[in-house]
């Protein structure tokens, strides 16, 4: 009986110690629980298909030749300003969704034959990132993305051409931020 009480006592002490460690960890984080699995990620395989990489870069090059506004950069340091590294994938998800919905789909009849394949590829990436969310309110991210949207809209069709001309940057930043 004494052996069983000692065993139960050690088991209870172990559970108590583990609970204390969890509480200490939560207090260090300000009470916020860390998600066990992040949905803000893509597989490296998605970016290793040579034909889609070539199509994306060819489409970007073709559009950049039609881009007359060389003073403006949509995807650059300014887009990432004030955004934590851990939120870069979410930021790029927002840029991807905007680019698909507001730029590529309206321009889908141009820049053939690459456009159809690239839109399909980017749509698959967007679907994979659909569950990607961040813990914070993300106002800094939404402000940066809104600035990009406003610039594209302000430039009109020239802005859409510029966004297509920067698909290579979108591709590279998605890969670097989400893998």
């Amino acid at each position: 009986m004494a052996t069983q009480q000692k065993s139960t006592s050690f088991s209870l002490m172990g559970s108590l110690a583990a609970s204390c460690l969890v509480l200490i960890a939560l207090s260090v984080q300000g009470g916020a629980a860390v998600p066990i699995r992040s949905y803000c990620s893509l597989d490296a395989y998605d970016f290793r298909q040579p034909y889609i990489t070539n199509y994306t870069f060819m489409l970007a090059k073709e559009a950049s030749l039609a881009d007359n506004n060389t003073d403006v950069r949509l995807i650059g340091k300014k887009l990432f300003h004030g955004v934590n590294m851990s939120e870069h994938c979410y930021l790029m998800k927002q840029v991807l969704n905007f680019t698909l919905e507001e730029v590529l789909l309206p321009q889908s009849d141009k820049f053939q034959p690459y456009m159809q394949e690239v839109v399909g590829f980017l749509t698959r990436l967007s679907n994979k990132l659909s569950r990607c969310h961040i813990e914070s309110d993300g106002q800094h991210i939404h402000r940066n993305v809104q600035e990009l949207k406003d610039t594209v809209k302000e430039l009109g069709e020239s802005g859409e051409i510029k966004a297509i001309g920067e698909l290579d940057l979108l591709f590279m930043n998605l890969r670097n931020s989400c893998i």
Side-chain angles (χ1 to χ4, degrees):
M1 184 79 167
T3 309
Q4 190 178 13
Q5 278 184 328
K6 276 186 178 178
S7 168
T8 304
S9 176
F10 283 129
S11 175
L12 185 60
M13 294 274 289
S15 296
L16 187 59
S19 297
C20 286
L21 287 174
V22 169
L23 288 174
I24 290 169
L26 284 173
S27 71
V28 168
Q29 298 171 13
V34 176
I36 294 172
R37 176 161 166 21
S38 172
Y39 294 104
C40 290
S41 66
L42 295 168
D43 296 321
Y45 176 77
D46 293 321
F47 296 92
R48 288 194 182 136
Q49 302 168 13
Y51 85 94
I52 201 63
T53 302
N54 289 338
Y55 279 12
T56 303
F57 279 69
M58 292 296 287
L59 177 58
K61 184 174 181 159
E62 192 175 321
S64 67
L65 292 174
D67 180 13
N68 299 324
N69 189 338
T70 57
D71 297 334
V72 177
R73 169 80 61 192
L74 299 173
I75 300 175
K77 289 180 183 180
K78 190 175 179 183
L79 179 64
F80 293 94
H81 179 73
V83 179
N84 294 330
M85 187 72 112
S86 62
E87 298 172 330
H88 281 192
C89 187
Y90 178 78
L91 169 69
M92 292 313 300
K93 170 199 165 184
Q94 298 299 318
V95 173
L96 171 63
N97 290 341
F98 166 74
T99 303
L100 276 168
E101 296 164 13
E102 302 294 326
V103 176
L104 295 178
L105 294 178
Q107 295 278 343
S108 62
D109 59 326
K110 297 183 180 173
F111 304 108
Q112 294 300 331
Y114 310 114
M115 182 68 85
Q116 186 176 359
E117 290 290 328
V118 172
V119 168
F121 167 72
L122 293 176
T123 300
R124 285 190 297 282
L125 294 184
S126 177
N127 290 338
K128 288 181 178 187
L129 291 172
S130 65
R131 294 176 52 190
C132 174
H133 299 284
I134 55 173
E135 300 279 326
S136 68
D137 66 358
Q139 285 185 356
H140 54 295
I141 293 172
H142 296 291
R143 185 175 40 251
N144 292 4
V145 173
Q146 189 60 49
E147 200 171 303
L148 177 138
K149 291 177 179 181
D150 292 344
T151 301
V152 170
K153 287 186 184 343
E154 182 181 309
L155 294 172
E157 188 174 356
S158 174
E160 293 175 2
I161 301 296
K162 175 164 286 306
I164 296 169
E166 291 189 13
L167 284 175
D168 54 344
L169 298 175
L170 177 65
F171 179 94
M172 298 295 286
N173 280 287
L174 276 166
R175 186 182 69 190
N176 293 341
S177 299
C178 299
I179 291 182

